[in-house]
Amino acid sequence: MQDVWLMEKMAHFNREVIPERRMHAKGWGAYGTFTVTQDIRKYTKAAVLQPKAKTDLFIRFSTVAGERGAADCERDIRGVAVKFYTKEGNWDMVGNNTPTFFIRDVHNFSDLNRAVKRDPHTGRRSAQNNWDFWTLLPECFHQITVVMSDRGIPASFRNMHFFGEHTYSLYNAKNERVWCKFHFKTEQGIKNLSNEEAAKINGMNREYHGQDLYDAIERGDYPKWKMYIQVMTEEQAKSHYENPFDITKIWRHKEYPLIEVGELELNRNPENYFAEVEQAAFTPAHVVPGIGFSPDRFLQGRLFSYGDAQRYRLGINYNQIPVNRAKCEVNDYHRDGAMRTDGNYGRLPAYTPNSEGYWTAQPEVAEPPLEISGAMWRYDPKDDPTDDCFRAGGDLWRVMTEDKKKILISNTAGDMKPVTTNIKYRHAVHCLHADPEYGKRMAKALGLPLAKVKELAKLTNDELNKATLDPEME
Ligand code: HEM
């Protein structure tokens, strides 16, 4: 017991593992810069988006379903979280490599992750659980089409686009607001892996995407993305034919064209994986003046969830960890808490308002107030007869070339092989709703009689879900 160093060493070792992110646990990071090349001042006053502004950033790419040790080249969406260290504080853009998301109701979020992660009985991932959940919620359809397409396994992080997905808002110096979506387009070109290529790589190098990113930066081949926005006015939103705040819907580019903003470049690798990548904490709640939220109910749920997860995962003072710390001066009345490592604001008053004249709120940087109408209640957009969950998936199918269609059909049929027939029917019906050819070819690939798929397609969503509950269905 007198070997105190040994005690110290063993005790430290036993406590070195911190909780992994509940999802997006496997990831890789890099530093870079964002340079504004265009002028979008009419939309936003954000310093980070002003002409010629150059801002340091940290990015983390991730897979979603796998744990911290999962292989990189799995079929999954990729998370892309960017922390812009702006002179007005940190702006976190926490997005994915797909333009829409599976679901749009926050209540479904933990269920989505339970369905794609491990089965409570077997401890294994389960295609049955995956497809059961996805097909009971038809709003997943567009995202399923993307994930099962050739884009479901990118060749590298450098070879994919990424998106903010949600509708955010921008407001200018006159506090005039527009709704906006963020797009980041790769300048390296899109490249993907087939299932066979990915299986081979995963068998040999589970850290393939991380290594690719690291090596590219080390050799000076800095990856770049062009940032664009789509803009919708408040007036346009009122008469848009779909809910513009539904994250499962696309804003068509020909109606809301891409507006170029600037270029994002990655040019420096982290020095220490744990300190900088594992301890990085991003949240969509981190915005700066000129960038705001929207009535997207899914986004609203995220505004709470991330900070809460990080208080658990890293502790209440997670924003003091160097990778998370804003590069500008931050004045607040938070005090104390575990691992407080700055001076805790010394002798300055810890309450507001105070007579010493210390920091007060700055109403001039607040988002302009949002007028809302209608009942505040949980509702299911599927109850709205104008809601079309299949349009975006159908549009995507119709722009695919024949070889991409073949890949999509064969990836889906392969993935659904272990799944029971009732669930296959549900998916084939959804494909049919999206496009007659998509439905016909999917039914054939899944070994289902088209006549029965067509019969089931006459049912409402609730009726279809009820008619396809029985796993013994033939
Ligand atoms: C209501 C829906 C959602 C909830 C409640 C949610 C919650 C979370 C939580 C708790 C984490 C772990 C945070 C941490 O421990 O640091 C996380 C990670 C992440 N989420 Fe979400 N999420 C939602 C939807 C989305 C959507 C729609 C996107 C993309 C547009 C997204 C992108 C990400 C990314 C990229 C990460 C990893 C961040 C990192 O690299 O550290 N999430 N999410």
Side-chain angles (χ1 to χ4, degrees), residues 6 19 40 54 140 191 208 301 311 337 404 423:
L6 177 62
I40 59 161
K54 199 166 182 172
C140 294
K191 282 194 200 138
Y208 183 78
R311 280 174 212 111
K404 305 270 177 215
I423 295 172

Side-chain angles (χ1 to χ4, degrees), residues 21 24 60 95-96 109 165 282 298 302 306 310 313:
R21 290 169 179 80
H24 295 268
R60 182 174 175 272
N96 283 327
F109 184 76
E165 290 190 357
F282 304 85
F298 205 60
R302 294 179 74 198
Y306 289 70
Q310 288 143 12
R313 185 166 71 80

